[in-house]
Amino acid sequence: MAGKVREWVIDRFGLQPIYDKVLNRRVPRAHWYSGDGSTLLALLGIQVVTGAVLALTYSPAADSAYQSVVYLTEQQTLGWFIRGLHYWSAGAMMVVVTFHLLRQILLAGYKSPREGTWLTGVVLFLCILLMAYTGYLLRWDERAIHGIRVMLHMLVRVPLIGESLVMLVQGGPDIGPATLTRLYGFHVLVVPLTMFLMVAFHVYLVVVRGTITQAERTQLVHSAEEQKQLYDEEKESPERGETFFPVTVFKSGLTATLVIGVVIALTVILGPSKLFAEANLTEASIPSEEWWFWWLSGMIALLPPAVAPWFVVIFPLAVFGFLFLLPLLDRGPARGVRNRPLWAALVVIVVIILLGLTDYRRRSTFTGWPESEPPPVPVGMTLPPDAERGRILFAQYGCNSCHPVAGHGRKFAVDFASLQGQMSRDKIREYILQPPAGVKMPSYQGRLDDDQLTALVEFCHVVQTFPLQP
Amino acid sequence: MIDRRKWLAVLIQGGSAVMAAVVGIPALLSAISPGWRSRPGGQWRTTGRLADFPLGTVQPAVVKVGRGDWAQTLESKTVYVYRLTDDQVVVYSRNCTDLSCPLVFDAGSECFFCPCHGGIFGKDGKPMAGPPSKPLYRYVTRIRDGELEIDLHSLPPMT
């Protein structure tokens, strides 16, 4: 009976050809790390399911969006878990898609006959970036509103049509309710529909054209025909080939399970991303992008003023221009790591730069900010009365908005504790009144009376004897 | 026979293209239409009475935006008013000129700090540090019956 039902289902739903052509096919042996594509597919599945649940509660109207996210997180049964999963799975996608992309560059996965797979992949990469960015904005907290403005300010830099682009994205002459509705439509309809089509195409091409194999990585391949011959020999070989289902699927499933395990652990331990105050254009705020864009922010912070305005337009165009043209730019017969040391070096350099910039942004030593608290005096030390008054003035006159004191406070400017007594009182006084040209410090000429100046100089002088903390 | 096939194919392709254009072009135009909406100047809003801003200082002021559309979100906006003399006044937008992050004015050091990429501006609006290359945005101002007013649309749309 059960057998008959099974046969009926297989026949009437046309499952046999799928089994024969997709599951029960021979493929070249896969490595554990080639499960990154399947992992992305699984993470996308999580995004679709959790996203659908979020959309059932989320209010895409600017007056109530924030409250609906608060409700989701605090009131709805397991709402925090769904939001957390959506967030961490998005972060995991950003990491895994970067790995996936760099791996293809490392091994030359874009070479013939896989140009189509590569190009649909680049479109998907762009879609994932857009999703990761617009999802952050839908929370409609103050970070979201400043995040939108940063994007708009990048768009306004586009020559000739800049202002039109800004109005197009924000939905009118001012940032307002239309802005959120447009971003919502973009995040839940426009980009996901594009992704759906592209994923289907991408996966189809992976089935038809396969992924880069061991043989291709070791010997030179001059044409698509040569590759196809090599591929067919490899997949049919008992040692170098395997059956897609269950062998390959099991290996990639293992990678996906591992990553999803990390996603669930992060969700349970850290929960969904923090919500800040509701979107507003009035309160002081220290916005920050999500951690997966820290590298970009760190890079922008390093830009000299002459470069900064056009960089934000040129850089994304250059990156995607490079990615789209890569199959045309690099058409040599060599594939794999060993035959292409320059490409391997390029990928290693990119990874080092990404990690370095991420850390640079994490420390954000380039940001000054008002601090009302006077810097602390090291334990066991008492300051002379003049210096003590100077310590209060140090905060009152915003010196500590930039200068750390023995490692405390903002790290933008020089920490006097690190000078170890090299700066005389006269020199300090001179600096305060008229900083040398090129020093990024305002002049205090005319702002302090003699008494105050003396006190401040005393404090800056005595700080040089403070123990420098690591 | 082959001719008939060819003609059918042309008909199918042409017909599909026409259908796609009939739906697609209006859809696209409607979707991107906010891009060319007019942005008339003269959106005057008050920042408060001029006399309330002390001479020589930079003070934040909250302006009611009054867009008049279907939601009351983002209805207020902070700007910075710098009163130089009795009747000379500058109103800065809170946008950093690098990427529009919200500046804060530090009365102690008399500098504007950007929280994002290290931009610092002087009281005079000139960039002192970080990536910004342009001085702070200044609204067009006027004084009416002692009220200091700014034209919201005198600055680019994302401000």
Side-chain angles (χ1 to χ4, degrees), chain A residues 215-258:
Chain A
E216 290 176 55
R217 285 159 64 173
T218 39
Q219 64 197 78
L220 298 182
V221 184
H222 294 88
S223 67
E225 283 60 45
E226 201 179 323
Q227 185 277 340
K228 284 171 192 167
Q229 199 188 347
L230 201 62
Y231 189 87
D232 286 342
E233 280 168 20
E234 205 173 1
K235 73 179 184 188
E236 297 303 342
S237 144
E239 307 86 40
R240 293 182 296 135
E242 62 190 22
T243 310
F244 181 70
F245 182 85
V247 184
T248 316
V249 174
F250 182 77
K251 282 192 258 185
S252 5
L254 224 50
T255 316
T257 309
L258 199 74

mmCIF file of all heavy atoms in Angstrom, chain A residues 215-258:
data_model
loop_
_atom_site.group_PDB
_atom_site.id
_atom_site.type_symbol
_atom_site.label_atom_id
_atom_site.label_comp_id
_atom_site.label_asym_id
_atom_site.label_seq_id
_atom_site.Cartn_x
_atom_site.Cartn_y
_atom_site.Cartn_z
ATOM 1 N N ALA A 215 40.568 18.834 -10.258
ATOM 2 C CA ALA A 215 41.350 18.703 -11.500
ATOM 3 C C ALA A 215 41.556 20.064 -12.159
ATOM 4 O O ALA A 215 42.651 20.379 -12.620
ATOM 5 C CB ALA A 215 40.637 17.759 -12.462
ATOM 6 N N GLU A 216 40.497 20.882 -12.173
ATOM 7 C CA GLU A 216 40.618 22.212 -12.784
ATOM 8 C C GLU A 216 41.625 23.070 -12.035
ATOM 9 O O GLU A 216 42.246 23.961 -12.603
ATOM 10 C CB GLU A 216 39.267 22.932 -12.746
ATOM 11 C CG GLU A 216 38.229 22.349 -13.678
ATOM 12 C CD GLU A 216 36.895 23.052 -13.510
ATOM 13 O OE1 GLU A 216 36.864 24.275 -13.625
ATOM 14 O OE2 GLU A 216 35.903 22.358 -13.221
ATOM 15 N N ARG A 217 41.724 22.815 -10.735
ATOM 16 C CA ARG A 217 42.611 23.635 -9.922
ATOM 17 C C ARG A 217 44.077 23.278 -10.122
ATOM 18 O O ARG A 217 44.957 24.069 -9.794
ATOM 19 C CB ARG A 217 42.245 23.492 -8.443
ATOM 20 C CG ARG A 217 40.980 24.250 -8.087
ATOM 21 C CD ARG A 217 40.336 23.736 -6.836
ATOM 22 N NE ARG A 217 41.170 23.915 -5.669
ATOM 23 C CZ ARG A 217 40.754 23.668 -4.436
ATOM 24 N NH1 ARG A 217 39.520 23.249 -4.219
ATOM 25 N NH2 ARG A 217 41.557 23.835 -3.428
ATOM 26 N N THR A 218 44.331 22.066 -10.629
ATOM 27 C CA THR A 218 45.732 21.648 -10.736
ATOM 28 C C THR A 218 46.263 21.736 -12.160
ATOM 29 O O THR A 218 47.445 21.993 -12.355
ATOM 30 C CB THR A 218 45.918 20.222 -10.191
ATOM 31 O OG1 THR A 218 44.790 19.430 -10.588
ATOM 32 C CG2 THR A 218 46.013 20.224 -8.680
ATOM 33 N N GLN A 219 45.403 21.554 -13.161
ATOM 34 C CA GLN A 219 45.948 21.621 -14.519
ATOM 35 C C GLN A 219 45.331 22.780 -15.303
ATOM 36 O O GLN A 219 44.259 23.258 -14.968
ATOM 37 C CB GLN A 219 45.749 20.299 -15.255
ATOM 38 C CG GLN A 219 44.315 19.915 -15.484
ATOM 39 C CD GLN A 219 44.225 18.446 -15.837
ATOM 40 O OE1 GLN A 219 44.297 17.556 -14.991
ATOM 41 N NE2 GLN A 219 44.073 18.175 -17.122
ATOM 42 N N LEU A 220 46.045 23.219 -16.334
ATOM 43 C CA LEU A 220 45.582 24.357 -17.121
ATOM 44 C C LEU A 220 44.371 23.965 -17.969
ATOM 45 O O LEU A 220 44.334 22.896 -18.552
ATOM 46 C CB LEU A 220 46.706 24.860 -18.022
ATOM 47 C CG LEU A 220 47.951 25.379 -17.282
ATOM 48 C CD1 LEU A 220 48.982 25.888 -18.274
ATOM 49 C CD2 LEU A 220 47.563 26.464 -16.300
ATOM 50 N N VAL A 221 43.392 24.853 -18.008
ATOM 51 C CA VAL A 221 42.183 24.610 -18.800
ATOM 52 C C VAL A 221 42.057 25.752 -19.795
ATOM 53 O O VAL A 221 41.942 26.907 -19.399
ATOM 54 C CB VAL A 221 40.940 24.560 -17.897
ATOM 55 C CG1 VAL A 221 39.703 24.222 -18.704
ATOM 56 C CG2 VAL A 221 41.132 23.570 -16.758
ATOM 57 N N HIS A 222 42.091 25.420 -21.084
ATOM 58 C CA HIS A 222 42.150 26.480 -22.090
ATOM 59 C C HIS A 222 40.810 26.903 -22.654
ATOM 60 O O HIS A 222 40.677 27.976 -23.200
ATOM 61 C CB HIS A 222 43.094 26.083 -23.220
ATOM 62 C CG HIS A 222 44.521 25.969 -22.769
ATOM 63 N ND1 HIS A 222 45.036 24.810 -22.264
ATOM 64 C CD2 HIS A 222 45.500 26.894 -22.684
ATOM 65 C CE1 HIS A 222 46.299 24.993 -21.909
ATOM 66 N NE2 HIS A 222 46.597 26.267 -22.142
ATOM 67 N N SER A 223 39.811 26.022 -22.559
ATOM 68 C CA SER A 223 38.523 26.383 -23.160
ATOM 69 C C SER A 223 37.390 25.749 -22.360
ATOM 70 O O SER A 223 37.607 24.846 -21.554
ATOM 71 C CB SER A 223 38.456 25.899 -24.598
ATOM 72 O OG SER A 223 38.433 24.474 -24.605
ATOM 73 N N ALA A 224 36.177 26.240 -22.647
ATOM 74 C CA ALA A 224 34.998 25.686 -21.986
ATOM 75 C C ALA A 224 34.853 24.205 -22.337
ATOM 76 O O ALA A 224 34.475 23.401 -21.491
ATOM 77 C CB ALA A 224 33.755 26.466 -22.408
ATOM 78 N N GLU A 225 35.186 23.861 -23.594
ATOM 79 C CA GLU A 225 35.050 22.461 -24.027
ATOM 80 C C GLU A 225 36.001 21.562 -23.237
ATOM 81 O O GLU A 225 35.629 20.493 -22.777
ATOM 82 C CB GLU A 225 35.345 22.338 -25.535
ATOM 83 C CG GLU A 225 34.210 22.793 -26.435
ATOM 84 C CD GLU A 225 33.832 24.246 -26.218
ATOM 85 O OE1 GLU A 225 34.752 25.101 -26.122
ATOM 86 O OE2 GLU A 225 32.626 24.546 -26.093
ATOM 87 N N GLU A 226 37.228 22.051 -23.068
ATOM 88 C CA GLU A 226 38.225 21.282 -22.318
ATOM 89 C C GLU A 226 37.751 21.075 -20.879
ATOM 90 O O GLU A 226 37.882 19.998 -20.307
ATOM 91 C CB GLU A 226 39.547 22.054 -22.333
ATOM 92 C CG GLU A 226 40.754 21.189 -22.058
ATOM 93 C CD GLU A 226 42.035 22.017 -22.123
ATOM 94 O OE1 GLU A 226 42.119 22.931 -22.975
ATOM 95 O OE2 GLU A 226 42.922 21.779 -21.303
ATOM 96 N N GLN A 227 37.187 22.146 -20.320
ATOM 97 C CA GLN A 227 36.695 22.065 -18.951
ATOM 98 C C GLN A 227 35.601 21.012 -18.831
ATOM 99 O O GLN A 227 35.599 20.193 -17.919
ATOM 100 C CB GLN A 227 36.171 23.434 -18.509
ATOM 101 C CG GLN A 227 35.744 23.508 -17.050
ATOM 102 C CD GLN A 227 34.333 22.993 -16.820
ATOM 103 O OE1 GLN A 227 33.523 22.919 -17.726
ATOM 104 N NE2 GLN A 227 34.066 22.602 -15.576
ATOM 105 N N LYS A 228 34.671 21.023 -19.795
ATOM 106 C CA LYS A 228 33.541 20.091 -19.724
ATOM 107 C C LYS A 228 34.019 18.637 -19.791
ATOM 108 O O LYS A 228 33.520 17.779 -19.071
ATOM 109 C CB LYS A 228 32.542 20.389 -20.844
ATOM 110 C CG LYS A 228 31.710 21.631 -20.545
ATOM 111 C CD LYS A 228 30.867 22.052 -21.743
ATOM 112 C CE LYS A 228 30.303 23.443 -21.495
ATOM 113 N NZ LYS A 228 29.743 24.045 -22.697
ATOM 114 N N GLN A 229 35.020 18.407 -20.636
ATOM 115 C CA GLN A 229 35.558 17.055 -20.764
ATOM 116 C C GLN A 229 36.202 16.610 -19.444
ATOM 117 O O GLN A 229 35.956 15.524 -18.941
ATOM 118 C CB GLN A 229 36.579 17.043 -21.901
ATOM 119 C CG GLN A 229 36.845 15.644 -22.426
ATOM 120 C CD GLN A 229 38.003 15.639 -23.416
ATOM 121 O OE1 GLN A 229 38.444 16.695 -23.873
ATOM 122 N NE2 GLN A 229 38.506 14.468 -23.730
ATOM 123 N N LEU A 230 36.997 17.526 -18.903
ATOM 124 C CA LEU A 230 37.692 17.257 -17.645
ATOM 125 C C LEU A 230 36.693 16.986 -16.523
ATOM 126 O O LEU A 230 36.842 16.060 -15.728
ATOM 127 C CB LEU A 230 38.526 18.499 -17.294
ATOM 128 C CG LEU A 230 39.697 18.344 -16.346
ATOM 129 C CD1 LEU A 230 40.726 17.415 -16.941
ATOM 130 C CD2 LEU A 230 40.332 19.706 -16.101
ATOM 131 N N TYR A 231 35.654 17.791 -16.503
ATOM 132 C CA TYR A 231 34.627 17.701 -15.473
ATOM 133 C C TYR A 231 33.920 16.344 -15.547
ATOM 134 O O TYR A 231 33.699 15.690 -14.535
ATOM 135 C CB TYR A 231 33.634 18.851 -15.664
ATOM 136 C CG TYR A 231 32.632 19.011 -14.549
ATOM 137 C CD1 TYR A 231 32.924 19.782 -13.423
ATOM 138 C CD2 TYR A 231 31.383 18.395 -14.621
ATOM 139 C CE1 TYR A 231 32.003 19.919 -12.410
ATOM 140 C CE2 TYR A 231 30.462 18.534 -13.603
ATOM 141 C CZ TYR A 231 30.767 19.310 -12.503
ATOM 142 O OH TYR A 231 29.872 19.450 -11.491
ATOM 143 N N ASP A 232 33.590 15.944 -16.787
ATOM 144 C CA ASP A 232 32.868 14.682 -16.956
ATOM 145 C C ASP A 232 33.729 13.495 -16.533
ATOM 146 O O ASP A 232 33.240 12.571 -15.876
ATOM 147 C CB ASP A 232 32.429 14.527 -18.422
ATOM 148 C CG ASP A 232 31.258 15.447 -18.736
ATOM 149 O OD1 ASP A 232 30.610 15.910 -17.764
ATOM 150 O OD2 ASP A 232 30.998 15.719 -19.930
ATOM 151 N N GLU A 233 35.015 13.530 -16.897
ATOM 152 C CA GLU A 233 35.921 12.445 -16.482
ATOM 153 C C GLU A 233 35.979 12.364 -14.966
ATOM 154 O O GLU A 233 35.922 11.291 -14.373
ATOM 155 C CB GLU A 233 37.346 12.715 -16.998
ATOM 156 C CG GLU A 233 37.556 12.355 -18.444
ATOM 157 C CD GLU A 233 38.878 12.909 -18.952
ATOM 158 O OE1 GLU A 233 39.775 13.215 -18.120
ATOM 159 O OE2 GLU A 233 39.003 13.056 -20.191
ATOM 160 N N GLU A 234 36.066 13.531 -14.343
ATOM 161 C CA GLU A 234 36.252 13.580 -12.899
ATOM 162 C C GLU A 234 35.031 13.058 -12.150
ATOM 163 O O GLU A 234 35.145 12.304 -11.198
ATOM 164 C CB GLU A 234 36.558 15.018 -12.482
ATOM 165 C CG GLU A 234 37.331 15.104 -11.179
ATOM 166 C CD GLU A 234 37.754 16.530 -10.887
ATOM 167 O OE1 GLU A 234 37.422 17.431 -11.684
ATOM 168 O OE2 GLU A 234 38.406 16.736 -9.850
ATOM 169 N N LYS A 235 33.867 13.460 -12.580
ATOM 170 C CA LYS A 235 32.671 13.082 -11.827
ATOM 171 C C LYS A 235 32.381 11.586 -11.961
ATOM 172 O O LYS A 235 31.864 10.963 -11.054
ATOM 173 C CB LYS A 235 31.471 13.922 -12.259
ATOM 174 C CG LYS A 235 30.888 13.592 -13.603
ATOM 175 C CD LYS A 235 29.686 14.483 -13.896
ATOM 176 C CE LYS A 235 29.057 14.064 -15.215
ATOM 177 N NZ LYS A 235 28.015 14.955 -15.679
ATOM 178 N N GLU A 236 32.772 10.988 -13.126
ATOM 179 C CA GLU A 236 32.515 9.562 -13.319
ATOM 180 C C GLU A 236 33.579 8.698 -12.634
ATOM 181 O O GLU A 236 33.376 7.514 -12.437
ATOM 182 C CB GLU A 236 32.451 9.219 -14.808
ATOM 183 C CG GLU A 236 31.314 9.901 -15.568
ATOM 184 C CD GLU A 236 29.930 9.615 -14.995
ATOM 185 O OE1 GLU A 236 29.783 8.631 -14.229
ATOM 186 O OE2 GLU A 236 28.992 10.392 -15.284
ATOM 187 N N SER A 237 34.716 9.295 -12.282
ATOM 188 C CA SER A 237 35.781 8.516 -11.656
ATOM 189 C C SER A 237 35.362 8.062 -10.260
ATOM 190 O O SER A 237 34.810 8.833 -9.484
ATOM 191 C CB SER A 237 37.043 9.384 -11.574
ATOM 192 O OG SER A 237 37.748 9.108 -10.383
ATOM 193 N N PRO A 238 35.595 6.768 -9.930
ATOM 194 C CA PRO A 238 35.167 6.246 -8.621
ATOM 195 C C PRO A 238 35.877 6.947 -7.464
ATOM 196 O O PRO A 238 35.292 7.122 -6.398
ATOM 197 C CB PRO A 238 35.547 4.771 -8.675
ATOM 198 C CG PRO A 238 35.902 4.484 -10.084
ATOM 199 C CD PRO A 238 36.247 5.759 -10.748
ATOM 200 N N GLU A 239 37.148 7.378 -7.654
ATOM 201 C CA GLU A 239 37.888 7.991 -6.546
ATOM 202 C C GLU A 239 37.626 9.485 -6.469
ATOM 203 O O GLU A 239 37.538 10.049 -5.383
ATOM 204 C CB GLU A 239 39.401 7.788 -6.678
ATOM 205 C CG GLU A 239 39.872 6.359 -6.862
ATOM 206 C CD GLU A 239 39.845 5.962 -8.324
ATOM 207 O OE1 GLU A 239 40.207 6.802 -9.171
ATOM 208 O OE2 GLU A 239 39.440 4.818 -8.633
ATOM 209 N N ARG A 240 37.539 10.157 -7.629
ATOM 210 C CA ARG A 240 37.489 11.612 -7.619
ATOM 211 C C ARG A 240 36.074 12.177 -7.765
ATOM 212 O O ARG A 240 35.875 13.371 -7.783
ATOM 213 C CB ARG A 240 38.408 12.167 -8.709
ATOM 214 C CG ARG A 240 39.880 11.873 -8.407
ATOM 215 C CD ARG A 240 40.783 12.452 -9.452
ATOM 216 N NE ARG A 240 40.549 11.825 -10.750
ATOM 217 C CZ ARG A 240 40.436 12.500 -11.885
ATOM 218 N NH1 ARG A 240 40.535 13.803 -11.907
ATOM 219 N NH2 ARG A 240 40.223 11.860 -13.027
ATOM 220 N N GLY A 241 35.106 11.265 -7.909
ATOM 221 C CA GLY A 241 33.723 11.729 -8.009
ATOM 222 C C GLY A 241 32.873 11.160 -6.889
ATOM 223 O O GLY A 241 33.308 10.301 -6.119
ATOM 224 N N GLU A 242 31.650 11.669 -6.753
ATOM 225 C CA GLU A 242 30.728 11.148 -5.757
ATOM 226 C C GLU A 242 29.304 11.393 -6.231
ATOM 227 O O GLU A 242 29.071 12.100 -7.214
ATOM 228 C CB GLU A 242 30.978 11.820 -4.395
ATOM 229 C CG GLU A 242 30.741 13.321 -4.403
ATOM 230 C CD GLU A 242 31.224 14.014 -3.129
ATOM 231 O OE1 GLU A 242 32.085 13.471 -2.435
ATOM 232 O OE2 GLU A 242 30.719 15.120 -2.862
ATOM 233 N N THR A 243 28.338 10.812 -5.521
ATOM 234 C CA THR A 243 26.934 11.030 -5.880
ATOM 235 C C THR A 243 26.424 12.228 -5.082
ATOM 236 O O THR A 243 26.638 12.320 -3.876
ATOM 237 C CB THR A 243 26.106 9.783 -5.551
ATOM 238 O OG1 THR A 243 26.764 8.654 -6.118
ATOM 239 C CG2 THR A 243 24.706 9.894 -6.128
ATOM 240 N N PHE A 244 25.741 13.134 -5.780
ATOM 241 C CA PHE A 244 25.319 14.385 -5.139
ATOM 242 C C PHE A 244 24.473 14.125 -3.898
ATOM 243 O O PHE A 244 24.738 14.668 -2.824
ATOM 244 C CB PHE A 244 24.564 15.252 -6.152
ATOM 245 C CG PHE A 244 24.115 16.558 -5.584
ATOM 246 C CD1 PHE A 244 25.036 17.548 -5.281
ATOM 247 C CD2 PHE A 244 22.765 16.808 -5.349
ATOM 248 C CE1 PHE A 244 24.627 18.758 -4.743
ATOM 249 C CE2 PHE A 244 22.349 18.019 -4.807
ATOM 250 C CZ PHE A 244 23.284 18.987 -4.506
ATOM 251 N N PHE A 245 23.435 13.270 -4.082
ATOM 252 C CA PHE A 245 22.628 12.911 -2.919
ATOM 253 C C PHE A 245 22.858 11.445 -2.608
ATOM 254 O O PHE A 245 22.687 10.614 -3.495
ATOM 255 C CB PHE A 245 21.140 13.166 -3.207
ATOM 256 C CG PHE A 245 20.251 12.866 -2.036
ATOM 257 C CD1 PHE A 245 20.031 13.819 -1.049
ATOM 258 C CD2 PHE A 245 19.660 11.613 -1.903
ATOM 259 C CE1 PHE A 245 19.221 13.544 0.039
ATOM 260 C CE2 PHE A 245 18.859 11.340 -0.803
ATOM 261 C CZ PHE A 245 18.633 12.299 0.166
ATOM 262 N N PRO A 246 23.264 11.055 -1.427
ATOM 263 C CA PRO A 246 23.343 11.913 -0.238
ATOM 264 C C PRO A 246 24.744 12.445 0.100
ATOM 265 O O PRO A 246 24.861 13.205 1.045
ATOM 266 C CB PRO A 246 22.907 10.950 0.858
ATOM 267 C CG PRO A 246 23.410 9.618 0.402
ATOM 268 C CD PRO A 246 23.437 9.636 -1.077
ATOM 269 N N VAL A 247 25.788 12.075 -0.667
ATOM 270 C CA VAL A 247 27.150 12.345 -0.190
ATOM 271 C C VAL A 247 27.454 13.849 -0.120
ATOM 272 O O VAL A 247 27.807 14.387 0.931
ATOM 273 C CB VAL A 247 28.199 11.624 -1.091
ATOM 274 C CG1 VAL A 247 29.605 11.831 -0.526
ATOM 275 C CG2 VAL A 247 27.879 10.149 -1.184
ATOM 276 N N THR A 248 27.289 14.544 -1.270
ATOM 277 C CA THR A 248 27.612 15.977 -1.302
ATOM 278 C C THR A 248 26.667 16.757 -0.384
ATOM 279 O O THR A 248 27.088 17.652 0.365
ATOM 280 C CB THR A 248 27.491 16.521 -2.735
ATOM 281 O OG1 THR A 248 28.098 15.589 -3.619
ATOM 282 C CG2 THR A 248 28.160 17.872 -2.858
ATOM 283 N N VAL A 249 25.385 16.386 -0.466
ATOM 284 C CA VAL A 249 24.385 17.098 0.333
ATOM 285 C C VAL A 249 24.712 16.958 1.825
ATOM 286 O O VAL A 249 24.592 17.915 2.594
ATOM 287 C CB VAL A 249 22.957 16.573 0.041
ATOM 288 C CG1 VAL A 249 21.940 17.205 0.983
ATOM 289 C CG2 VAL A 249 22.584 16.852 -1.400
ATOM 290 N N PHE A 250 25.164 15.788 2.235
ATOM 291 C CA PHE A 250 25.495 15.580 3.645
ATOM 292 C C PHE A 250 26.626 16.512 4.072
ATOM 293 O O PHE A 250 26.557 17.171 5.114
ATOM 294 C CB PHE A 250 25.903 14.118 3.885
ATOM 295 C CG PHE A 250 26.209 13.838 5.325
ATOM 296 C CD1 PHE A 250 25.184 13.681 6.249
ATOM 297 C CD2 PHE A 250 27.530 13.758 5.776
ATOM 298 C CE1 PHE A 250 25.461 13.440 7.585
ATOM 299 C CE2 PHE A 250 27.809 13.523 7.107
ATOM 300 C CZ PHE A 250 26.775 13.363 8.017
ATOM 301 N N LYS A 251 27.667 16.602 3.215
ATOM 302 C CA LYS A 251 28.810 17.462 3.562
ATOM 303 C C LYS A 251 28.406 18.931 3.643
ATOM 304 O O LYS A 251 28.730 19.634 4.606
ATOM 305 C CB LYS A 251 29.923 17.273 2.510
ATOM 306 C CG LYS A 251 30.701 15.986 2.726
ATOM 307 C CD LYS A 251 31.946 15.970 1.883
ATOM 308 C CE LYS A 251 31.749 15.093 0.674
ATOM 309 N NZ LYS A 251 32.958 14.945 -0.129
ATOM 310 N N SER A 252 27.668 19.410 2.625
ATOM 311 C CA SER A 252 27.290 20.826 2.675
ATOM 312 C C SER A 252 26.276 21.078 3.779
ATOM 313 O O SER A 252 26.269 22.152 4.382
ATOM 314 C CB SER A 252 26.747 21.340 1.345
ATOM 315 O OG SER A 252 26.632 20.326 0.426
ATOM 316 N N GLY A 253 25.446 20.075 4.040
ATOM 317 C CA GLY A 253 24.466 20.217 5.121
ATOM 318 C C GLY A 253 25.159 20.384 6.447
ATOM 319 O O GLY A 253 24.710 21.144 7.323
ATOM 320 N N LEU A 254 26.290 19.691 6.605
ATOM 321 C CA LEU A 254 27.055 19.784 7.851
ATOM 322 C C LEU A 254 27.566 21.221 8.052
ATOM 323 O O LEU A 254 27.449 21.794 9.139
ATOM 324 C CB LEU A 254 28.235 18.816 7.761
ATOM 325 C CG LEU A 254 28.544 17.953 8.976
ATOM 326 C CD1 LEU A 254 27.305 17.252 9.491
ATOM 327 C CD2 LEU A 254 29.622 16.946 8.637
ATOM 328 N N THR A 255 28.110 21.803 6.978
ATOM 329 C CA THR A 255 28.596 23.192 7.063
ATOM 330 C C THR A 255 27.442 24.129 7.437
ATOM 331 O O THR A 255 27.568 24.974 8.329
ATOM 332 C CB THR A 255 29.186 23.632 5.704
ATOM 333 O OG1 THR A 255 29.997 22.580 5.217
ATOM 334 C CG2 THR A 255 29.990 24.893 5.841
ATOM 335 N N ALA A 256 26.307 23.951 6.736
ATOM 336 C CA ALA A 256 25.158 24.819 6.991
ATOM 337 C C ALA A 256 24.678 24.677 8.437
ATOM 338 O O ALA A 256 24.377 25.672 9.110
ATOM 339 C CB ALA A 256 24.037 24.489 6.016
ATOM 340 N N THR A 257 24.620 23.438 8.921
ATOM 341 C CA THR A 257 24.150 23.198 10.278
ATOM 342 C C THR A 257 25.055 23.884 11.298
ATOM 343 O O THR A 257 24.582 24.494 12.272
ATOM 344 C CB THR A 257 24.116 21.680 10.575
ATOM 345 O OG1 THR A 257 23.409 21.044 9.518
ATOM 346 C CG2 THR A 257 23.438 21.392 11.892
ATOM 347 N N LEU A 258 26.345 23.795 11.039
ATOM 348 C CA LEU A 258 27.310 24.425 11.933
ATOM 349 C C LEU A 258 27.065 25.932 12.018
ATOM 350 O O LEU A 258 26.977 26.515 13.106
ATOM 351 C CB LEU A 258 28.722 24.150 11.403
ATOM 352 C CG LEU A 258 29.853 24.330 12.402
ATOM 353 C CD1 LEU A 258 29.850 23.166 13.381
ATOM 354 C CD2 LEU A 258 31.186 24.427 11.668
#
